[in-house]
Amino acid sequence: MLTKFETKSNRVKGVAFHCSRPWVLASLHNGVVQLWDYRMGTLIDRFDEHEGPVRGVHFHATQPLFVTGGDDYKIKVWNYKLRRCLFTLLGHLDYIRTVQFHHELAWIVSASDDQTIRIWNWQSRACVSVLTGHNHYVMCAQFHPREDLVLSASLDQTVRVWDTSGLRKKLASPGSSLGLGSAGG
């Protein structure tokens, strides 16, 4: 074991590594998100705007951002340099289990107990797709690291792979007002 640190909440619901800094995020049952330096074992910052447990958390690969999702049905995009929430995405009708930034596009995927997976454009702050088909809570969803795919798992006892290449093409079309956006800019 490299290091261990303790939170002041009775339960940690989610964790995420930063891709280049020795940082981890811990999302807690009490609604707080903690930013830790795991090499020093020190708490760097804490973010407290969710009402209730925060289950999903993920760092952006190139921007000073992270995303959270919680039991308040809200997805929040945070800037850790500015030390604040930038905006909130609304649309899910139940607890949000996981959130993840896309590796290339300005997208976030979220999984919810409302039995849907949503894809959001975080630059336009809009939901660009709702993936339906599960008939129980969607416990997790994530983007494929290179291909236009989303993977999801549900308490309906299924794991599904969703093709998002049509969505990419649709949003890249000249008539699209939502656009693809670039995660790096």
Side-chain angles (χ1 to χ4, degrees):
M1 179 173 68
L2 178 64
T3 189
K4 173 182 139 182
F5 34 89
E6 296 183 18
T7 70
K8 299 296 184 205
S9 173
N10 54 350
R11 289 178 285 194
V12 177
K13 294 293 192 176
V15 292
F17 273 115
H18 191 277
C19 65
S20 60
R21 297 179 186 217
W23 290 357
V24 292
L25 288 167
S27 60
L28 308 180
H29 185 264
N30 65 4
V32 173
V33 177
Q34 296 178 333
L35 175 61
W36 290 85
D37 182 315
Y38 63 82
R39 289 208 179 121
M40 301 297 291
T42 56
L43 180 64
I44 298 170
D45 212 338
R46 59 186 308 250
F47 305 87
D48 186 7
E49 276 194 32
H50 278 281
E51 300 161 22
V54 182
R55 297 179 186 273
V57 64
H58 189 251
F59 275 110
H60 192 278
T62 60
Q63 300 294 313
L65 305 175
F66 65 92
V67 61
T68 57
D71 286 8
D72 55 5
Y73 312 174
K74 295 175 182 174
I75 296 168
K76 293 182 174 284
V77 175
W78 307 78
N79 183 309
Y80 57 77
K81 284 187 177 175
L82 298 177
R83 303 180 71 191
R84 66 181 182 89
C85 177
L86 299 178
F87 56 88
T88 301
L89 301 171
L90 300 172
H92 278 296
L93 305 174
D94 209 334
Y95 297 170
I96 297 163
R97 297 285 181 163
T98 59
V99 287
Q100 181 194 26
F101 282 107
H102 192 275
H103 64 282
E104 175 187 33
L105 303 174
W107 290 358
I108 293 168
V109 66
S110 57
S112 173
D113 284 5
D114 67 9
Q115 304 179 19
T116 68
I117 299 111
R118 290 179 182 256
I119 298 176
W120 309 80
N121 181 313
W122 59 263
Q123 288 179 335
S124 65
R125 303 179 188 184
C127 179
V128 295
S129 184
V130 180
L131 307 177
T132 60
H134 283 295
N135 56 34
H136 208 307
Y137 302 159
V138 183
M139 301 305 289
C140 57
Q142 68 180 46
F143 289 113
H144 187 282
R146 289 176 304 284
E147 298 183 32
D148 290 333
L149 300 171
V150 168
L151 181 65
S152 65
S154 169
L155 291 186
D156 65 10
Q157 302 178 353
T158 66
V159 173
R160 297 176 187 227
V161 178
W162 308 80
D163 183 348
T164 58
S165 60
L167 180 63
R168 181 192 284 259
K169 289 176 190 161
K170 176 182 159 191
L171 296 180
S173 68
S176 173
S177 62
L178 295 174
L180 285 174
S182 169

